[in-house]
Amino acid sequence: MRTSNAPRRQALPLRLLSTSLATLFVLAGCGGGGGSPGATVSATPPASQQPPATTPPATGQQSVYDTNPSLLGDAFSNYWNLCAKPRTGVDANGKPYPDRQGSLLDELKFLRAWTHQNYLWYNEVPNTYRMADFSNPIDYFDVLKTTALTPSGKPKDQFHFTYPTEEWDAMQNEGVDLGYGLTFSRVGSGVPRTWIVTAVEPGSPADAAGVRRNDMLMRVDGVDFVSAGDNASVDIINAGLFPSSAGTQHRFSFQRSGAQFEVTMTGAEVRVDPVKNVKVIDTASGKVGYLSFETHNAVSEKELVDAFTTFKQEGIADLVLDLRYNGGGLLYVASELAYMVAGPAATAGKVFDRLQYNDKIGSDSPIMFRSTAYGFSAPNPVAAGTALPYLGLKRVTILATSGTCSASEAVINGLRGADIEVIQIGGTTCGKPYGFTPVPNCGTTYFSVEFKGVNNKGFGDYADGFAPTCQASDDLTRAVGDPAEGLLATALAYRTSNACPAPQGQSSARQLPTQLVRPLVKEIAIDRRSR
């Protein structure tokens, strides 16, 4: 079995953080504090809307490493696993923790040295911050990134975050997510808040409580979720939405068809199924395969192999790949997926995603279209080296929204680089041609952009996302996989006419989400290299 600690592309879904952590707003969802990917419920703007802090705090003394990090050299390994509070015992795989007694300064030096050597934009990291002014490594890591803005005014680096290592490993290797089994779309970022349920994991606490797609969140433990802005209320909301341990009960009010109802849900370790709705749709012009795919993690490798085996046996003529909620993950899984779509004739000898590092790392690293399974460690693994099934399609239809990100975008870009026609239905993707290798240290796993990915033709400039062939809304009034649901119906219509159908104007259909919000990632952000 292979463990996964490779390059990945991932843009994690947002989660809520307490108002005291508002400045640590990032991209994914997890418990435990700063830098975690997640959406922020607070009375202050998220960090992405605040001017970058470029002046140092008013206290403390700058060290030579603050002003000249090159003195640390590339020997970050000298500080790796030197921890202020070393863990004892063994990890989930039964291996002793590598932690050794160290200090907070050792942890900060590790982050500064690693960033200066590996961060894609290492020469744009401000050297005005003082290690002496930071009381924990996560706060320090949060400022170790470029403060540059894109031409449109967005932060150049929107993909800088952390995860508690234990949670990250559970999500990636076992597909386990501590929460209720809910995914939301968030319309806007301020008050009033509009969070709509987009997905409910089968068998989860939310499923058992009767929560359904298109329900709108109204109250959490008696607090007005839509309008609350004070710190005490926000703390209650966050505690309810993101339980810190299994077995904790919280009350929620939702609105459905204009009427409110209340449920009680108990936090649990929910096993998330990354591949859902595998089906064959019979049409007048042949069989169309369909599957919804939500995260490129270790668990998904076997499920994708099984899905494509079914499609090959059924002799499908076309494929609709639903990536509307897929925030990314392992690039090796993305490479395998693209190969299973295109087959050997179109991909032989071609690069799926070439990773371009900073000038210190030097040489590029190509990820080819993988024709055999990597063999990720997972509860139901595929044996390493197993030949992958393939369809040999010349075109594929992909359903996408702003929640389609990172490794999912690499699938689109990689297929186009191999001259496979990609028909994109829905909305513009998130725009993340960047990736990283998760770096664990002292109980926290750090995600810092290390590379940019380009396809076989050298293209990788899609920081503004891929625009759709046909624009359509995520129809939350119907189940994902229902042929009448907005995105899938548009895809099937385009297949028949080769033209975008006229908008149906359904008032009940929600607009495309501006942000996907998951309490914990399924993406998440990761091995072989991850995006």
Side-chain angles (χ1 to χ4, degrees):
M1 302 280 191
R2 315 278 184 96
T3 57
S4 43
N5 192 29
R8 62 178 69 247
R9 275 207 203 153
Q10 197 152 323
L12 301 183
L14 299 183
R15 70 155 293 167
L16 298 180
L17 302 176
S18 68
T19 51
S20 63
L21 297 177
T23 58
L24 303 180
F25 175 88
V26 281
L27 286 180
C30 74
S36 302
T40 309
V41 168
S42 71
T44 61
S48 61
Q49 297 177 8
Q50 297 173 355
T54 56
T55 57
T59 61
Q61 296 295 318
Q62 280 193 306
S63 72
V64 293
Y65 302 125
D66 293 323
T67 57
N68 190 3
S70 62
L71 294 176
L72 291 166
D74 61 357
F76 53 86
S77 58
N78 292 342
Y79 306 101
W80 211 338
N81 300 318
L82 287 177
C83 309
K85 297 179 179 180
R87 295 166 294 174
T88 59
V90 297
D91 62 18
N93 296 316
K95 296 181 179 180
Y97 289 119
D99 301 6
R100 295 170 289 147
Q101 185 62 58
S103 65
L104 171 61
L105 183 59
D106 289 326
E107 294 189 45
L108 302 187
K109 285 182 177 179
F110 166 76
L111 291 173
R112 192 68 185 96
W114 190 94
T115 299
H116 192 66
Q117 176 66 19
N118 294 283
Y119 184 54
L120 181 61
W121 304 293
Y122 72 92
N123 55 354
E124 298 179 21
V125 176
N127 62 2
T128 52
Y129 294 102
R130 305 179 179 102
M131 293 184 192
D133 290 327
F134 291 88
S135 61
N136 67 79
I138 294 177
D139 285 355
Y140 184 56
F141 174 76
D142 192 54
V143 302
L144 295 180
K145 62 181 179 180
T146 178
T147 58
L149 303 177
T150 66
S152 64
K154 296 187 300 184
K156 183 176 179 178
D157 185 355
Q158 305 177 68
F159 309 104
H160 195 77
F161 60 92
T162 68
Y163 251 98
T165 297
E166 185 177 0
E167 292 184 14
W168 178 254
D169 290 346
M171 286 189 295
Q172 289 309 298
N173 298 327
E174 302 174 40
V176 172
D177 184 351
L178 177 61
Y180 310 106
L182 283 173
T183 299
F184 294 89
S185 67
R186 182 189 71 180
V187 181
S189 59
V191 175
R193 303 181 188 93
T194 303
W195 282 30
I196 310 295
V197 175
T198 61
V200 179
E201 191 67 25
S204 67
D207 185 29
V211 181
R212 295 294 177 258
R213 179 172 162 88
N214 204 33
D215 290 344
M216 180 176 174
L217 182 61
M218 303 300 292
R219 304 183 72 82
V220 178
D221 284 330
V223 173
D224 180 1
F225 174 80
V226 176
S227 302
D230 62 283
N231 288 1
S233 295
V234 169
D235 288 344
I236 292 172
I237 289 171
N238 283 328
L241 280 175
F242 308 105
S244 59
S245 61
T248 305
Q249 286 191 339
H250 294 276
R251 292 177 294 109
F252 301 86
S253 293
F254 292 91
Q255 180 174 286
R256 181 186 302 165
S257 302
Q260 290 195 33
F261 64 97
E262 185 170 291
V263 299
T264 298
M265 294 188 289
T266 302
E269 291 188 344
V270 179
R271 189 167 298 279
V272 177
D273 187 7
V275 179
K276 299 181 175 71
N277 302 304
V278 178
K279 63 177 65 176
V280 176
I281 302 171
D282 290 316
T283 73
S285 56
K287 296 180 177 180
V288 177
Y290 169 85
L291 65 85
S292 54
F293 179 34
E294 296 181 7
T295 181
H296 295 72
N297 64 5
V299 177
S300 70
E301 185 176 41
K302 177 63 163 58
E303 295 189 5
L304 287 170
V305 168
D306 290 346
F308 277 82
T309 298
T310 296
F311 292 150
K312 191 172 183 68
Q313 292 171 345
E314 291 287 336
I316 67 166
D318 281 310
L319 175 67
V320 176
L321 180 59
D322 193 339
L323 301 178
R324 73 182 78 185
Y325 304 141
N326 193 315
L330 302 174
L331 280 177
Y332 274 22
V333 171
S335 171
E336 293 174 10
L337 172 59
Y339 171 82
M340 287 189 279
V341 170
T347 62
K350 293 182 179 178
V351 172
F352 169 71
D353 198 45
R354 185 180 299 277
L355 314 183
Q356 298 178 334
Y357 295 84
N358 68 37
D359 56 5
K360 293 184 179 183
I361 305 300
S363 60
D364 298 341
S365 177
I367 293 178
M368 311 303 287
F369 285 85
R370 291 189 60 89
S371 62
T372 60
Y374 180 73
F376 290 101
S377 177
N380 185 22
V382 182
T386 299
L388 298 174
Y390 62 86
L391 301 178
L393 300 176
K394 298 299 183 184
R395 73 172 189 175
V396 62
T397 300
I398 290 180
L399 309 186
T401 67
S402 58
T404 305
C405 200
S406 205
S408 294
E409 293 173 296
V411 172
I412 296 172
N413 199 46
L415 286 171
R416 287 175 173 167
D419 293 318
I420 303 301
E421 181 185 6
V422 177
I423 301 163
Q424 184 178 322
I425 304 296
T428 301
T429 61
C430 87
K432 184 176 180 286
Y434 311 114
F436 29 61
T437 303
V439 179
N441 191 51
C442 302
T444 298
T445 296
Y446 297 92
F447 301 86
S448 187
V449 171
E450 291 177 66
F451 58 85
K452 175 182 177 180
V454 301
N455 65 17
N456 192 64
K457 296 181 178 181
F459 178 76
D461 295 326
Y462 53 90
D464 289 326
F466 290 114
T469 308
C470 295
Q471 189 165 359
S473 293
D474 185 3
D475 181 3
L476 300 184
T477 66
R478 293 180 173 84
V480 171
D482 182 342
E485 183 275 323
L487 297 189
L488 182 51
T490 300
L492 295 175
Y494 185 90
R495 179 179 179 272
T496 300
S497 64
N498 206 35
C500 297
Q504 297 300 307
Q506 297 170 330
S507 59
S508 58
R510 302 281 183 184
Q511 294 299 307
L512 291 172
T514 59
Q515 193 86 52
L516 281 181
V517 183
R518 290 190 180 105
L520 288 178
V521 166
K522 312 159 198 174
E523 136 170 332
I524 355 195
I526 330 215
D527 129 0
R528 290 309 311 157
R529 294 254 166 187
S530 164
R531 274 210 218 151

